[in-house]
Amino acid sequence: MLFQVEMTVMIPADMPAETAAEIKAREKDYAQELQRSGIWRHIWRHAGAYKNTSIFDCRDNQHLHDVLTGLPLFPYMQIDVTPICRHPSSIREDDR
């Protein structure tokens, strides 16, 4: 199942810089692992904001939930999820 996920990151201003850097490093590693596995299919940054729009390919809603709650930055995110599906006019064979 495909999901469009918008994530807005809101790290507390009083979080120590070293703590924030460590969380961001773990986030990057986890995100890149998910991309390599094909679960996190696309990621785009929103210009001028600490926000992204991503496409996830998960087995079901629970799988997506597990993936998102595994993000190290999850406690500091607002997340909006939209289930999506292949458009009948798409010429892309890998859109499911």
Side-chain angles (χ1 to χ4, degrees), residues 4 13 16 20-21 23 30 32 34 47 49-50 57-58 61 65 72 75 96:
Q4 175 186 310
I23 294 170
Y30 182 56
Q32 290 180 346
L34 290 168
Y50 199 168
D57 190 355
C58 294
N61 293 339
H65 177 77
R96 0 180 205 122

Side-chain angles (χ1 to χ4, degrees), residues 5-68:
V5 179
E6 289 195 8
M7 294 177 252
T8 304
V9 180
M10 298 167 287
I11 295 175
D14 60 349
M15 180 181 284
E18 304 81 31
T19 302
E22 187 271 329
I23 294 170
K24 290 177 189 179
R26 287 190 295 118
E27 180 85 8
K28 182 176 181 178
D29 290 343
Y30 182 56
Q32 290 180 346
E33 174 187 323
L34 290 168
Q35 289 175 67
R36 282 188 287 276
S37 74
I39 293 170
W40 198 326
R41 289 182 59 175
H42 302 281
I43 183 171
W44 296 275
R45 181 182 359 195
H46 290 222
Y50 199 168
K51 181 175 182 173
N52 73 72
T53 296
S54 296
I55 304 297
F56 285 82
D57 190 355
C58 294
R59 291 184 304 274
D60 53 30
N61 293 339
Q62 184 63 52
H63 182 215
L64 176 66
H65 177 77
D66 294 343
V67 166
L68 294 178

